[in-house]
Amino acid sequence: MKGYNIIGLYNVLTSLIYTKICHRKARLIRLPVSIRGSENIDLGEGLVSGRYCRIDALSKKNRQISFGNNCQINDSVHIAAIDSINIGDNVLIASRVFITDHQHGCYSGNNISFPEELASQRRLSSKPVTLGNNVWVGEGVCILPGVSIGDNSIIGANSVVTKSLPKNVIACGNPVKVIKEFDERSQTWRSL
């Protein structure tokens, strides 16, 4: 394996053995990794992960977290679900990305949480999250509950995704804003 020193080669081989024993459908799960609720997670065919990833399915619901085929998640990605996070095929997720379908408390509607409630004891509220096929999520992105990202979209580094995005767009910022879309007629990316 080109480019690895002896310690790097040992780490990759150890990770490969772990993957083939514990997550047979995946291509490579690099260690260390934390996967809680694995019975409620579908890693899809050919998943590759970086080191220090954390994937948490936090309730008893079947298939809370679902990856499509040939996804790649890089180092220190944290994905946490109490309801539903669905990730399409061929999705690329850069390092230090956080994706969640829930939050501590409810801050709109009739049954709201109050400021004096202890944050750790506020009831959890959730909304499903979906990433379409061939989505690229940049470094340090945070994807929040209720978001749907369309096929082939790109999320720029350090963006906070608080609303759904259509297919074939480039979006960035805090909160995220679409800055380009792919024009089918001219076959070019058009600035907005």
Side-chain angles (χ1 to χ4, degrees):
M1 298 178 98
K2 198 172 186 177
Y4 286 100
N5 63 21
I6 192 73
I7 293 171
L9 185 58
Y10 171 79
N11 288 338
V12 169
L13 290 174
T14 302
S15 296
L16 189 58
I17 292 167
Y18 165 79
T19 302
K20 295 310 169 193
I21 291 171
C22 298
H23 306 285
R24 295 172 196 243
K25 289 173 33 177
R27 186 175 309 138
L28 178 62
I29 306 289
R30 288 187 176 87
L31 299 173
V33 65
S34 172
I35 300 176
R36 291 195 297 170
S38 61
E39 64 277 5
N40 298 320
I41 300 170
D42 181 358
L43 295 178
E45 292 284 338
L47 177 77
V48 174
S49 83
R51 300 176 68 200
Y52 305 106
C53 288
R54 181 175 159 194
I55 304 173
D56 299 323
L58 300 171
S59 70
K60 303 278 189 237
K61 182 180 176 184
N62 288 338
R63 292 252 172 116
Q64 282 176 275
I65 300 173
S66 176
F67 288 88
N69 296 326
N70 302 311
C71 292
Q72 181 174 335
I73 61 176
N74 288 290
D75 296 342
S76 302
V77 169
H78 182 192
I79 300 171
I82 64 170
D83 185 16
S84 173
I85 296 176
N86 291 301
I87 297 171
D89 295 335
N90 304 305
V91 170
L92 175 61
I93 300 175
S95 298
R96 298 181 304 101
V97 169
F98 176 55
I99 303 172
T100 186
D101 71 348
H102 63 282
Q103 64 184 0
H104 287 265
C106 183
Y107 305 98
S108 62
N110 295 331
N111 197 11
I112 63 168
S113 299
F114 294 96
E116 62 275 357
E117 290 179 75
L118 295 177
S120 63
Q121 295 180 1
R122 293 177 187 158
R123 68 179 174 78
L124 296 176
S125 61
S126 71
K127 293 180 184 172
V129 171
T130 302
L131 277 66
N133 297 321
N134 198 37
V135 168
W136 174 19
V137 179
E139 186 93 8
V141 168
C142 182
I143 298 175
L144 298 176
V147 166
S148 180
I149 298 173
D151 293 347
N152 311 312
S153 288
I154 301 166
I155 311 302
N158 297 313
S159 295
V160 178
V161 185
T162 59
K163 62 183 177 183
S164 294
L165 299 169
K167 67 179 187 171
N168 303 330
V169 298
I170 299 173
C172 62
N174 180 5
V176 75
K177 177 182 168 188
V178 174
I179 60 168
K180 288 189 176 191
E181 66 182 1
F182 190 73
D183 185 324
E184 294 289 337
R185 273 194 280 166
S186 67
Q187 294 291 290
T188 60
W189 288 98
R190 184 170 53 95
S191 294
L192 299 178

